[in-house]
Amino acid sequence: MTETAIQFEHVRKSFGNEVVIPDLNFKINQGEFITILGSSGCGKTTTLKMVNGLLKPSAGKIMVNSQQISELDLVRLRRHTGYVVQQIGLFPHITVAENIAVVPRMLQWDQEAIKQRVDELLTLVQLAPAEYRDRYPKQLSGGQQQRVGVARALAANPPTVLFDEPFGALDALTREKLQEEIKQIHTALQGKTFLFVTHDINEALFLGQRVMVMKDGRIEQFATPTEIVSHPATNFVRELLGTVQQNQALWRDFND
Amino acid sequence: MIDYWQQNSAEMLIDVQQHLVMVGLSLAFALVIAILLVAIFLRAKRWLAGLVYFFSLLYSIPSFAFFVLLLPLFGLGMQTAVVVLTIYCEYILLRSFITGIEAVDPQLVEVSLGMGMTNLQSFWRVQLPLAIPAIFSGIQVALASTMAMATIAATINAGGLGQLLFEGLQGQQVVPILWGTILTIGLTLGCAGIVGLIKWSLVHSWKQVVD
Amino acid sequence: MTQQIIQYFQNNSSQYWQYVGQHLWLCTSAMLIAMVIAFPLGYLGSRNKTIANFCTLFSQVLRIIPSLALLFLLIPFLGTGYWPALTALVVLAFPPLLVNTILGFNEVSPLYKEVGSALGMTAQELRRKVEIPLALPYLLNGVKLALVEVIASATLATYIGAGGLGTLIFTGLGLYDMSYVVIGGVSVALLSLLAMIGFDFLISEVQKNDRNSNSV
């Protein structure tokens, strides 16, 4: 039987008077690749940030590995939860290797283990360690920077990794390549839970084993890509799929 | 000029030494206080802004008036001078520290917290190192203005290079005034150079890459 | 000491106001001359890199020359009294005025200038209606900082015989009579604080207008 990695129970979140998430419930199993799809302001990033405690729910329970996070030490939780953001957020004043080593160092791994881990991860994200280890983030292209961002999130071998529109600022070709790679990484690492926020429906359907479609802080549908495409649960989901079909129709016209 | 130096070099060196001690102490006190204040009020921006405005008001008080108004409290001599100069430095340092730290991308701070840094770790490892260039420029400005202002402290018997200026004024001689000016400028440039070197040694590995 | 202070005002109030008058006149005339020179120069500096570099260098050099030394060094050339003091104060007012004028005009977004030109404004209209109003908060900030500097240095001008409120402090220190020192010190401090708070208020008012007009 699979274990539950992340669970939201009647979670509500408001900023001042504005309710962003009225009542959110879902369960994610250990090892799943989940994408959260929605337009900006739908509460998807808020949801993600509540998983590692950067935001606190106004009401309700959030469980990570069957422990309620309000009772966990947040700093400890975050050191064991990978976090990748759209702005990449590599620290500009330290090298690529030092960026990847931030969490292992805080966990007091020994030097040799850290060095080994950095090289292993750089290889995993397809950057030659000897060439990139000692560079500064500004000396890399956007795509390379985000590979380092992914490597940094995986550094301490966390069971859960959170992605906040990580490829949103990259050009289309790089984005597609990184999507392929992140999918391979998930398969290769086995048993890691990936929670991936995006506003790109193609990305969501391609990457997610299950896709959570959100609108106005509510879940419209939470199902496998096949299920969503064949049985859209609401009008909103149908409209979303419509945009893809429109696109495809456009391409068919071009090809004719 | 040379004659004057040969005749008075012993006293002039004492003036230089007093000047250095006065400025060095003020700057050191101000630095420690600034770091403490920023670390304490880092997450209380409004307090910090209020504090800066308070110091800006003190800063606007003419130094000559400030020196003499503290005489009843601290008496004639260097201690009064150091108190006043520390307050002036405090404003310059606090302002440059805060601008420097606020200029650090908030996204980086959020990421550092998201990776499991504590507030304090995020301050020491991310915000402070990235703010170093701005902080050190602030120190250089504070240094220059304190060096210049310390000459006025001669009026309250605090010694320093201001004594040469007043000696020249009273004796109607240009030479000691020139010496006082040259030594003050030389001292300022020398110390600013040292501060610049420290800054360089701290950031040279990454600064160029980031710019 | 309160007694002595009250006594001073009873017996010497005309002398006190004479010092205040000298102080204000010295500061005002120095500020006016400095502004007439620094504003156009700073405006040119925002256009021309060489002028800007010259202004910055000049300001940096001035910052490390003690104002006391500057005052004293003028004596051999200009003697003592009002004129050398005025000269020194004008020079001391330059750095904050120049730096902030250049900054202010540089901060005016080229977008507004472009829109202005597109609406058919001449260069002069553009200056009057777009650039100067938008740079105004910076200009005022420069005036504030210069004024604080000038009021402070004018206090020292008593040493070169230009009178002013510094004379009270100077006399008090000589006689070791704290009542003179306190009257002089507090007056100058108040003058400076008033100037500072007044300009801060003015700047916030100007910026408030800016925000309103932006939102419309």
Side-chain angles (χ1 to χ4, degrees):
Chain A
M1 200 188 135
T2 47
E3 271 178 52
T4 305
I6 301 166
Q7 187 175 0
F8 274 47
E9 270 179 36
H10 299 296
V11 169
R12 182 187 146 83
K13 176 70 189 171
S14 49
F15 295 104
N17 286 329
E18 195 192 351
V19 180
V20 181
I21 292 170
D23 180 18
L24 194 61
N25 298 280
F26 64 83
K27 250 188 210 178
I28 291 168
N29 296 323
Q30 184 69 46
E32 272 192 298
F33 197 143
I34 302 293
T35 49
I36 305 181
L37 172 65
S39 43
S40 55
C42 74
K44 56 191 195 303
T45 295
T46 307
T47 306
L48 195 77
K49 283 183 180 171
M50 285 195 287
V51 177
N52 66 358
L54 280 177
L55 294 175
K56 290 184 179 51
S58 309
K61 271 204 292 192
I62 298 172
M63 321 270 284
V64 172
N65 300 321
S66 351
Q67 281 175 298
Q68 203 170 331
I69 68 165
S70 56
E71 284 156 17
L72 289 174
D73 172 9
L74 280 182
V75 166
R76 238 184 81 95
L77 170 75
R78 289 173 189 160
R79 287 182 189 176
H80 293 93
T81 309
Y83 186 43
V84 187
V85 297
Q86 180 178 357
Q87 297 81 349
I88 304 173
L90 294 180
F91 302 126
H93 61 300
I94 54 179
T95 62
V96 164
E98 286 167 329
N99 262 290
I100 297 175
V102 167
V103 178
R105 212 158 262 161
M106 289 194 293
L107 296 172
Q108 280 152 6
W109 291 17
D110 69 61
Q111 288 300 327
E112 202 43 46
I114 291 177
K115 204 174 161 304
Q116 229 174 5
R117 182 68 181 153
V118 168
D119 286 358
E120 190 183 309
L121 284 163
L122 281 174
T123 315
L124 181 74
V125 297
Q126 315 210 347
L127 293 172
E131 192 179 335
Y132 291 100
R133 203 191 286 135
D134 296 321
R135 291 207 195 177
Y136 285 92
K138 284 274 161 69
Q139 296 168 315
L140 305 180
S141 70
Q144 290 170 332
Q145 287 183 26
Q146 195 54 293
R147 286 162 198 261
V148 178
V150 172
R152 181 172 70 172
L154 293 169
N157 211 7
T160 311
V161 185
L162 309 177
F163 299 86
D164 189 2
E165 300 202 40
F167 309 143
L170 302 176
D171 66 86
L173 285 175
T174 315
R175 184 163 53 210
E176 205 166 295
K177 195 146 186 311
L178 278 168
Q179 285 166 357
E180 296 273 1
E181 282 174 29
I182 204 76
K183 201 168 183 176
Q184 280 161 13
I185 287 173
H186 182 256
T187 319
L189 293 178
Q190 284 185 7
K192 288 207 188 304
T193 313
F194 278 17
L195 195 55
F196 190 111
V197 161
T198 178
H199 64 255
D200 175 348
I201 183 164
N202 291 310
E203 188 169 75
L205 293 174
F206 173 72
L207 289 177
Q209 292 167 336
R210 283 197 293 157
V211 180
M212 184 189 299
V213 185
M214 284 185 80
K215 186 187 175 236
D216 300 333
R218 289 184 179 80
I219 296 180
E220 295 278 316
Q221 189 169 14
F222 188 16
T224 62
T226 330
E227 174 77 12
I228 285 182
V229 173
S230 51
H231 300 104
T234 64
N235 274 333
F236 177 71
V237 180
R238 213 165 289 130
E239 275 168 35
L240 265 180
L241 290 167
T243 61
V244 180
Q245 277 151 7
Q246 231 170 33
N247 236 324
Q248 281 167 349
L250 182 75
W251 283 109
R252 260 199 308 279
D253 288 347
F254 267 119
N255 292 336
D256 282 347
Chain B
M1 283 292 286
I2 309 286
D3 284 350
Y4 186 85
W5 166 258
Q6 278 163 349
Q7 281 162 23
N8 301 288
S9 63
E11 285 143 58
M12 286 162 74
L13 285 176
I14 292 175
D15 289 342
V16 169
Q17 191 208 345
Q18 284 173 335
H19 208 86
L20 267 179
V21 170
M22 192 155 42
V23 173
L25 278 179
S26 313
L27 205 55
F29 286 142
L31 257 177
V32 172
I33 298 172
I35 292 176
L36 284 178
L37 286 178
V38 171
I40 293 170
F41 293 113
L42 188 63
R43 311 280 166 206
K45 295 259 159 60
R46 217 175 271 174
W47 279 79
L48 215 47
L51 220 55
V52 172
Y53 192 68
F54 172 70
F55 276 109
S56 82
L57 291 179
L58 290 181
Y59 182 81
S60 79
I61 298 175
S63 46
F64 188 32
F66 213 157
F67 280 130
V68 296
L69 284 176
L70 288 187
L71 284 180
L73 284 175
F74 301 98
L76 284 169
M78 201 186 274
Q79 62 275 28
T80 308
V82 170
V83 171
V84 172
L85 294 177
T86 304
I87 292 172
Y88 284 117
C89 279
E90 200 55 60
Y91 169 63
I92 301 175
L93 291 182
L94 215 51
R95 204 188 46 184
S96 65
F97 279 28
I98 294 170
T99 350
I101 284 170
E102 277 179 354
V104 174
D105 186 356
Q107 187 71 36
L108 286 178
V109 178
E110 194 181 63
V111 168
S112 70
L113 296 177
M115 292 171 72
M117 288 193 190
T118 60
N119 276 338
L120 213 58
Q121 279 173 328
S122 166
F123 175 68
W124 282 110
R125 296 190 189 184
V126 181
Q127 287 178 288
L128 201 59
L130 286 171
I132 278 181
I135 288 175
F136 272 77
S137 319
I139 294 178
Q140 279 172 326
V141 174
L143 181 81
S145 74
T146 313
M147 282 282 185
M149 229 175 246
T151 55
I152 300 168
T155 55
I156 54 162
N157 298 357
L161 289 165
Q163 282 191 308
L164 283 173
L165 301 179
F166 280 101
E167 195 189 309
L169 182 77
Q170 273 140 24
Q172 301 201 321
Q173 288 178 287
V174 187
V175 176
I177 298 181
L178 274 178
W179 268 117
T181 312
I182 292 169
L183 287 173
T184 310
I185 293 175
L187 217 53
T188 307
L189 290 178
C191 293
I194 294 172
V195 173
L197 266 179
I198 300 175
K199 169 167 97 174
W200 182 84
S201 71
L202 287 173
V203 302
H204 73 98
S205 56
W206 57 269
K207 189 71 180 91
Q208 267 175 323
V209 178
V210 173
D211 294 338
Chain C
M1 185 156 76
T2 328
Q3 194 63 45
Q4 285 166 302
I5 293 175
I6 295 171
Q7 212 171 10
Y8 173 83
F9 278 109
Q10 277 168 349
N11 300 333
N12 302 299
S13 71
S14 69
Q15 189 197 35
Y16 176 77
W17 291 113
Q18 191 196 337
Y19 289 146
V20 173
Q22 282 173 339
H23 209 100
L24 288 178
W25 171 237
L26 190 57
C27 293
T28 318
S29 47
M31 282 303 293
L32 285 176
I33 296 172
M35 287 190 314
V36 166
I37 301 172
F39 282 153
L41 195 59
Y43 179 74
L44 290 178
S46 71
R47 295 296 175 89
N48 182 314
K49 203 85 195 113
T50 321
I51 297 178
N53 288 341
F54 169 76
C55 292
T56 323
L57 185 72
F58 176 69
S59 307
Q60 273 168 348
V61 170
L62 262 184
R63 207 165 53 194
I64 60 173
I65 300 178
S67 44
L68 200 58
L70 190 69
L71 279 167
F72 290 2
L73 283 173
L74 285 176
I75 302 177
F77 304 100
L78 300 171
T80 55
Y82 171 75
W83 292 106
L86 182 72
T87 312
L89 293 187
V90 168
V91 173
L92 288 169
F94 277 148
L97 286 175
L98 283 176
V99 169
N100 283 286
T101 308
I102 296 177
L103 184 72
F105 283 112
N106 277 342
E107 288 286 299
V108 176
S109 158
L111 176 75
Y112 294 125
K113 285 187 241 175
E114 211 174 282
V115 171
S117 319
L119 289 173
M121 289 186 186
T122 64
Q124 204 195 351
E125 282 172 325
L126 203 61
R127 221 172 4 252
R128 252 214 327 266
K129 293 185 180 157
V130 180
E131 292 180 83
I132 293 178
L134 285 173
L136 195 58
Y138 293 89
L139 301 187
L140 287 174
N141 194 38
V143 174
K144 177 184 86 175
L145 296 174
L147 192 56
V148 168
E149 173 69 45
V150 164
I151 292 176
S153 301
T155 321
L156 298 168
T158 176
Y159 283 106
I160 63 167
L165 286 162
T167 315
L168 282 167
I169 304 177
F170 175 60
T171 317
L173 280 177
L175 304 170
Y176 207 69
D177 182 342
M178 280 313 287
S179 59
Y180 280 95
V181 170
V182 168
I183 295 170
V186 169
S187 306
V188 183
L190 278 179
L191 206 59
S192 201
L193 280 176
L194 278 178
M196 175 102 171
I197 294 171
F199 269 93
D200 277 336
F201 176 73
L202 204 61
I203 292 170
S204 73
E205 282 297 300
V206 169
Q207 278 175 332
K208 200 156 62 189
N209 287 341
D210 274 5
R211 268 197 298 281
N212 288 345
S213 58
N214 277 348
S215 61
V216 170

